Structure formats: C-alpha cells, structure tokens
Amino acid sequence: MEQHATESLKLSPPHRPSLFGTARKRIRVIKKVRIARGVWKFISLDHIGNRYVWDKREGYYFLEWWDGKKRRRERAGLTPNEALEHCI
C-alpha cells in the first residue's frame, strides 16, 4: 500500500505558477549621496541609451521598484558591480 502511494506522488506534475498575468517589474538603480553634513539625498543616475552613467561621488546604490501603489527600495551595495549583481 505504501509503495502505491509513493508511485502516485511521482506521477503527479510539479506545481508551477503560471507566467500569464504577471507583470514584469521595472527596477531602477538609484544612489544615496551626502550633499551636506548629515544630509543624504537619493539621486537618479543618468542614462546613455540603455546603460547607466555611474556617479563618482561616495554613497550607496539602491534598487527601486513599485509594488502596486507602494514604492520599494533595497540597498544594493557600495559599487556599481554590487548594484548590478542585485538586479540579476
């Protein structure tokens, strides 16, 4: 009886979520820089075509996206390479 139960579990297809109806999220890379003593500001990075122009000022890179009506941000690192690794 146990052998029959395990065989039926192997035959059932794995659950896979449908890709239809899910929107692809657009993620932006932004940077938080210090503009004065104790004052930090988020700045947008410039683009040339589809590529970012990396800012040379010290600061932290963040990923930004919208989740419904709520804006989300996540710290992505100190360097452009770390920020791009988080995008993947």
Side-chain angles (χ1 to χ4, degrees), residues 21-78:
T22 58
R24 185 174 156 196
K25 294 193 186 293
R26 293 179 54 166
I27 298 175
R28 290 179 20 170
V29 179
I30 58 175
K31 190 169 184 180
K32 190 173 187 178
V33 296
R34 186 180 305 181
I35 56 172
R37 183 180 283 280
V39 180
W40 290 82
K41 181 179 178 182
F42 283 104
I43 60 167
S44 295
L45 299 176
D46 292 330
H47 284 88
I48 295 179
N50 290 333
R51 303 191 79 158
Y52 285 105
V53 178
W54 301 107
D55 192 79
K56 296 196 187 295
R57 294 178 277 188
E58 288 187 38
Y60 302 99
Y61 289 97
F62 283 78
L63 302 180
E64 179 181 73
W65 70 96
W66 288 90
D67 187 12
K69 293 183 178 183
K70 193 166 192 169
R71 180 173 41 193
R72 304 283 186 174
R73 289 182 178 149
E74 179 180 310
R75 187 170 166 184
L78 292 170

Side-chain angles (χ1 to χ4, degrees), residues 1-15:
M1 180 90 175
E2 287 182 29
Q3 185 178 12
H4 178 45
T6 56
E7 286 177 10
S8 64
L9 290 176
K10 289 179 184 175
L11 296 176
S12 62
H15 174 69

